[in-house]
Amino acid sequence: MTNQEIDIRNYINEIAEKIWSGHAAAMVGTGFSMNAKPKFETEKKIPLWNDLGLKFMEKLGMDTNNANCLFQDPIKLAGEVSANFGENTLNQILIDSIPDMDYEPSDLHKNFLKLNWTDVFTTNYDTLLERASEDIGVKHYSLVTKDYDLVNAIRPRIVKLHGSFPSTVPFIITEEQYRAYPKTHAAFVNTVQQALVENILVLFGFSGTDPNFLNWIGWIRDNLGTKLTNKIYLISLDSVSNAKLKLFTREISMLLTYLYSKILKRQIKVLYFHFS
């Protein structure tokens, strides 16, 4: 067994120990929804950030066949749609673009929720996690879609951080919404931070360039900084370039290793973060 394989096993054991001892919370992003099962034959796929960017460009009358469209920022485009057509139009584009009810939770969703998470936070608008929670039977999750739900919600909870289909708005996606989020959704930011004080945090379905990932890491760093003692793991199938690693490590100490996860049952990368 190589030193890398030993490190991998150590990380798996560390995460598993925290899960089963009740000291691990999870945060779920868009990539995890890609595991959903279509209810019927459909051409509508669950979109990623670039796919949403194309939808926004179409609404703005921009040329989506231009090679430069690959470099357009979906967050800025969403803001332009909201400014020109209103937030309701932006919300409807998201509802129309994300075929939530055309898909159903997979066994991966259900097995994931059977793990002993203290809480499951998600930036996804879709309802796959809450629908999966209704089918598992072995444990009950309280659903939180608004900050006032936190008062009476009993752990474990599924906390919808950025809105929820069909009508829990705003769906957080514009640059201005991200900028204002720590004030407009202070209770959610505080809840995630408190979870991280008490537990490790394991992120699924995010890439290293995902705006949700970057903003949440930034908010945690700004508020906890050196007070953070528990670890954050990013489970990702995406490669991370050396340039991006250098960008991250300006503010975050990071260890990148390859890990075979029994949770995802495939070769994945784990980024283990701690704040200096």
Side-chain angles (χ1 to χ4, degrees):
M1 184 178 293
T2 66
N3 288 337
Q4 187 181 55
E5 289 172 332
I6 294 173
D7 287 341
I8 290 169
R9 186 177 296 276
N10 288 339
Y11 284 120
I12 293 174
N13 290 339
E14 187 171 308
I15 293 172
E17 179 183 350
K18 292 294 186 180
I19 290 174
W20 297 122
S21 66
H23 292 93
M27 185 179 286
V28 176
T30 304
F32 202 78
S33 294
M34 305 300 286
N35 296 288
K37 299 187 302 183
K39 291 182 178 179
F40 42 80
E41 189 172 340
T42 177
E43 294 183 357
K44 294 192 73 172
K45 306 298 182 184
I46 295 175
L48 296 175
W49 282 103
N50 287 339
D51 302 316
L52 290 176
L54 291 174
K55 294 290 185 182
F56 300 148
M57 290 179 68
E58 290 175 1
K59 184 62 179 179
L60 293 166
M62 301 171 68
D63 182 8
T64 57
N65 294 316
N66 190 314
N68 289 330
C69 72
L70 296 175
F71 302 100
Q72 297 287 338
D73 183 353
I75 302 303
K76 293 184 181 296
L77 291 170
E80 291 181 30
V81 170
S82 182
N84 284 277
F85 301 100
E87 188 174 293
N88 288 339
T89 297
L90 175 60
N91 290 342
Q92 192 59 50
I93 292 174
L94 293 172
I95 291 171
D96 293 341
S97 300
I98 302 172
D100 182 27
M101 298 311 295
D102 290 355
Y103 286 79
E104 60 186 11
S106 67
D107 288 341
L108 181 60
H109 286 89
K110 297 170 186 176
N111 290 333
F112 171 78
L113 290 177
K114 289 177 183 177
L115 295 174
N116 192 34
W117 303 112
T118 57
D119 278 314
V120 175
F121 304 101
T122 180
T123 57
N124 296 343
Y125 317 126
D126 65 54
T127 60
L128 289 164
L129 285 173
E130 48 264 53
R131 282 188 278 143
S133 72
E134 296 171 357
D135 295 335
I136 58 175
V138 294
K139 62 189 300 186
H140 173 74
Y141 283 86
S142 301
L143 179 62
V144 175
T145 61
K146 291 285 191 180
D147 54 4
Y148 52 73
D149 293 334
L150 291 166
V151 176
N152 296 315
I154 299 173
R155 288 190 177 100
R157 303 166 294 189
I158 294 175
V159 184
K160 306 294 290 288
L161 298 168
H162 288 182
S164 184
F165 286 164
S167 58
T168 302
V169 294
F171 303 137
I172 304 300
I173 195 169
T174 69
E175 196 169 39
E176 174 59 20
Q177 287 170 330
Y178 281 114
R179 186 197 66 78
Y181 190 91
K183 290 185 177 180
T184 60
H185 294 73
F188 281 165
V189 175
N190 291 337
T191 299
V192 173
Q193 289 174 174
Q194 184 60 38
L196 192 48
V197 169
E198 301 170 353
N199 311 282
I200 65 167
L201 183 64
V202 189
L203 282 68
F204 299 87
F206 298 95
S207 70
T209 58
D210 187 315
N212 289 326
F213 163 73
L214 294 173
N215 277 285
W216 273 102
I217 288 295
W219 296 327
I220 291 169
R221 182 192 63 240
D222 291 345
N223 287 277
L224 291 181
T226 56
K227 298 176 183 177
L228 179 61
T229 56
N230 283 314
K231 299 171 184 176
I232 301 176
Y233 297 86
L234 171 61
I235 310 296
S236 177
L237 297 176
D238 292 340
S239 60
V240 179
S241 68
N242 288 332
K244 288 175 184 175
L245 286 177
K246 289 180 181 178
L247 176 63
F248 290 151
T249 53
R250 288 178 186 175
E251 298 174 326
I252 305 171
S253 298
M254 177 173 13
L255 177 63
L256 171 63
T257 187
Y258 287 91
L259 172 68
Y260 182 80
S261 168
K262 294 180 180 178
I263 298 171
L264 291 183
K265 296 182 180 178
R266 67 181 73 177
Q267 186 72 26
I268 60 179
K269 293 185 178 76
V270 168
L271 298 176
Y272 150 48
F273 293 87
H274 64 86
F275 296 85
S276 57

